[in-house]
Amino acid sequence: MKKTKIGFVSLGCCKNLMDTEVMLSELNAAGYEITGEETEADIIILNTCGFIQEAKTEAIDNILDIAWLKTNAKLKGLIVCGCLVQRYGEEIMKEMPEVDAVVSVGAIHDIVEAVKKVEAGEKFKALKAPEEAAMGGDRIVTTPEHFAYLKIAEGCDNRCTYCAIPDIRGKFRSRTIEDIVEEAKNMEALGIRELILVAQDTTRYGVDIYGEYKLDELIRAVTEATSIPWIRILYCYPDKITDGLCREFRENERLVKYIDIPVQHINDTILRRMNRHGGKEVIVSAIKKLREACPEIVIRSTVIVGFPGETEEQFAELMDFLAETKFDRLGAFEYSCEEGTPAAEFDGQIDDDVKAERYDAVMSQQNGIMEEANSRRIGRREIVIVEGYDPVSETYFCRSQSEAPEIDGKVYLTGAPKNSFSVGDMVDVTITEAMDCDLIAVLSQF
Ligand code: SF4
């Protein structure tokens, strides 16, 4: 009997991607054939993001694009899941006849049942609270063969006033250290060379099940139980930079000297209106503590410009802080007024053109800071991980510890003959040139 072919489109963040990987694994185990060709698929599963307007628009556009395949190709069914469904599952089923089934974040383990219903020509809804979804489980890793993300916890309790994620992903819930170490060993068995530990707030790890922050202990457990060369952590929170975590950065050679720590702003009034835990002092001392513990650490951060009520003076304070702190990497977002969040009701909403001006100011200042940081690396020897070879430019594209996948630049290794290296190889190079957010390197001479 011909197997039903399932296609997947995964939108949003790496945490959403891991839900896709779990659903892929369950469908595969149930005997379905997974195809990468949308036009070949009988049923397509669209895993959506839905935390800001831009993401919602992207999800709706994808639904309409995929629905086109139902009339113009052989697609029989469209299943929509993920964060947009967690927020608007009922509305999607009511207002979008193109959609055959909706599966919320809390119901990802009902994906096989959803496919069976759609195969039978039925409409189907699985709308469960986010906490109902068991965490972990087998997954089909879809990131390139040399790195993988590992979700150490789900949900968030921080309740930043601009953010819908706690309502989408539910309360903060840590997986046990044993469960995570088991998964890390599975990743090692797949040949993963870089393991990236993530959560909505990675630094909150453990407090709900162990009564204290245990990210440092988790990192140590993963490094002791595996020999994965690079362990990286993303999405940290400034008020939870513990001494233990700093010790790991100082002493643990396989913990990548890189931290992603969104600060969002620096003005105390704005931080209070954002309900960010810890004010300016906490942020400044967290950065100082990290740099003292590990002088070579690369710090990535994120800020929001145009938050309701942000005055010129408060924005100038942010610009001064960024100029002084010199984050190695920085992302900026224009405040997005999200329905259902407290900040959406705040007075002092800022005009879009003012938000755009402030965004441009932050990013042009940051480009200068980043170029300076990159040019300081010229002449330095660094270990890079090979990600692939570009036959046109005859270069290997790589990353050092200073570049996280999918968000930062690349290190281009020139002058090394084709077939010298494979994806995942660690190579000793010397930086020769800086180009915007990318770098050029040659093989180090010993
Ligand atoms: S820490 Fe704040 S911004 Fe991040 S997911 Fe939690 S509530 Fe949202």
Side-chain angles (χ1 to χ4, degrees):
M1 183 151 94
K2 194 179 86 42
K3 281 186 179 179
T4 298
K5 284 188 180 173
I6 310 286
F8 255 93
V9 177
S10 192
L11 306 176
C13 67
C14 55
K15 288 147 273 182
N16 216 29
L17 180 68
M18 275 176 278
D19 289 352
T20 295
E21 294 176 348
V22 167
M23 290 188 276
L24 273 169
S25 172
E26 295 190 5
L27 287 162
N28 187 52
Y32 290 98
E33 186 181 332
I34 309 295
T35 174
E37 279 307 316
E38 286 182 11
T39 51
E40 287 301 307
D42 300 303
I43 294 177
I44 289 182
I45 299 172
L46 171 67
N47 192 10
T48 62
C49 174
F51 86 117
I52 52 172
Q53 189 50 49
E54 216 178 307
K56 292 189 260 184
T57 308
E58 182 194 29
I60 302 293
D61 290 348
N62 271 270
I63 290 174
L64 299 175
D65 289 352
I66 296 168
W68 183 89
L69 293 171
K70 286 176 90 175
T71 40
N72 300 281
K74 63 179 211 158
L75 189 69
K76 299 188 190 63
L78 168 56
I79 300 175
V80 180
C81 49
C83 296
L84 189 77
V85 173
Q86 194 67 48
R87 291 185 85 177
Y88 308 109
E90 295 288 358
E91 293 87 337
I92 293 170
M93 275 312 261
K94 225 181 288 146
E95 292 153 25
M96 303 194 84
E98 304 88 341
V99 176
D100 301 292
V102 286
V103 174
S104 73
V105 167
I108 60 168
H109 301 298
D110 298 349
I111 195 66
V112 173
E113 190 189 353
V115 167
K116 288 201 164 79
K117 295 286 185 192
V118 172
E119 275 182 307
E122 294 170 34
K123 292 278 185 181
F124 178 76
K125 277 190 295 190
L127 301 175
K128 295 180 178 173
E131 293 84 356
E132 291 187 51
M135 294 184 285
D138 293 342
R139 58 185 168 114
I140 296 180
V141 176
T142 60
T143 43
E145 66 201 79
H146 58 292
F147 79 87
Y149 297 102
L150 198 165
K151 201 186 314 191
I152 65 173
E154 187 52 282
C156 190
D157 290 351
N158 290 325
R159 292 262 159 216
C160 303
T161 55
Y162 52 84
C163 183
I165 292 174
D167 295 328
I168 299 173
R169 292 273 163 177
K171 279 191 66 50
F172 185 84
R173 323 176 291 286
S174 301
R175 296 169 64 189
T176 64
I177 291 180
E178 296 72 25
D179 188 23
I180 295 167
V181 165
E182 216 38 55
E183 188 168 344
K185 287 184 194 167
N186 295 343
M187 293 299 116
E188 182 177 30
L190 291 174
I192 295 296
R193 311 280 284 153
E194 178 181 9
L195 190 63
I196 307 169
L197 307 183
V198 297
Q200 302 297 351
D201 176 358
T202 307
T203 32
R204 184 184 276 270
Y205 176 75
V207 75
D208 55 319
I209 55 175
Y210 301 119
E212 57 180 321
Y213 302 134
K214 288 229 179 200
L215 181 58
D216 56 334
E217 199 174 311
L218 173 65
I219 292 166
R220 244 189 344 273
V222 169
T223 31
E224 279 159 14
T226 72
S227 54
I228 296 172
W230 283 3
I231 310 290
R232 188 186 295 270
I233 58 172
L234 298 178
Y235 310 106
C236 299
Y237 207 102
D239 73 331
K240 303 182 193 77
I241 303 300
T242 61
D243 295 348
L245 184 58
C246 288
R247 187 191 52 248
E248 287 303 309
F249 275 117
R250 190 175 50 245
E251 297 171 1
N252 187 331
E253 282 176 8
R254 290 165 42 216
L255 177 60
V256 167
K257 306 301 173 257
Y258 179 107
I259 189 168
D260 164 50
I261 182 171
V263 296
Q264 309 302 11
H265 211 283
I266 199 62
N267 171 268
D268 280 326
T269 307
I270 295 287
L271 288 168
R272 263 195 306 282
R273 281 166 67 83
M274 287 178 165
N275 190 33
R276 295 289 294 180
H277 306 176
K280 181 169 187 169
E281 215 178 298
V282 168
I283 291 171
V284 171
S285 69
I287 294 161
K288 187 163 171 288
K289 196 173 166 181
L290 284 163
R291 284 177 169 164
E292 278 169 2
C294 181
E296 74 272 27
I297 197 166
V298 166
I299 304 183
R300 161 175 272 282
S301 191
T302 307
V303 294
I304 293 175
V305 296
F307 187 78
E310 185 188 53
T311 63
E312 285 299 339
E313 293 70 33
Q314 291 164 338
F315 178 65
E317 185 183 347
L318 177 63
M319 287 291 281
D320 293 348
F321 164 72
L322 295 174
E324 199 183 317
T325 307
K326 295 189 185 308
F327 288 116
D328 305 274
R329 316 235 174 270
L330 183 77
F333 290 91
E334 295 175 24
Y335 168 71
S336 171
C337 187
E338 249 337 282
E339 77 173 337
T341 62
E345 310 306 321
F346 285 3
D347 53 12
Q349 300 286 334
I350 308 273
D351 293 348
D352 287 350
D353 50 3
V354 175
K355 288 183 199 169
E357 263 167 44
R358 290 178 183 174
Y359 173 87
D360 293 344
V362 166
M363 291 320 288
S364 63
Q365 174 176 273
Q366 182 60 27
N367 288 341
I369 291 168
M370 187 184 57
E371 278 160 21
E372 221 183 276
N374 274 352
S375 50
R376 276 200 303 275
R377 292 168 66 185
I378 295 174
R380 233 162 61 180
R381 275 178 59 188
E382 298 189 6
I383 301 297
V384 296
I385 188 167
V386 174
E387 299 205 296
Y389 181 76
D390 174 15
V392 179
S393 61
E394 297 182 339
T395 59
Y396 288 90
F397 46 95
C398 317
R399 280 182 296 109
S400 75
Q401 293 201 358
S402 306
E403 288 85 33
E406 299 172 323
I407 40 175
D408 296 326
K410 300 279 185 207
V411 178
Y412 292 95
L413 172 57
T414 60
K418 195 175 175 191
N419 303 326
S420 307
F421 304 111
S422 310
V423 171
D425 284 355
M426 300 275 181
V427 183
D428 191 321
V429 304
T430 299
I431 308 293
T432 55
E433 204 184 327
M435 280 183 337
D436 298 332
C437 56
D438 299 321
L439 294 136
I440 309 289
V442 294
L443 287 175
S444 295
Q445 304 305 317
F446 304 101

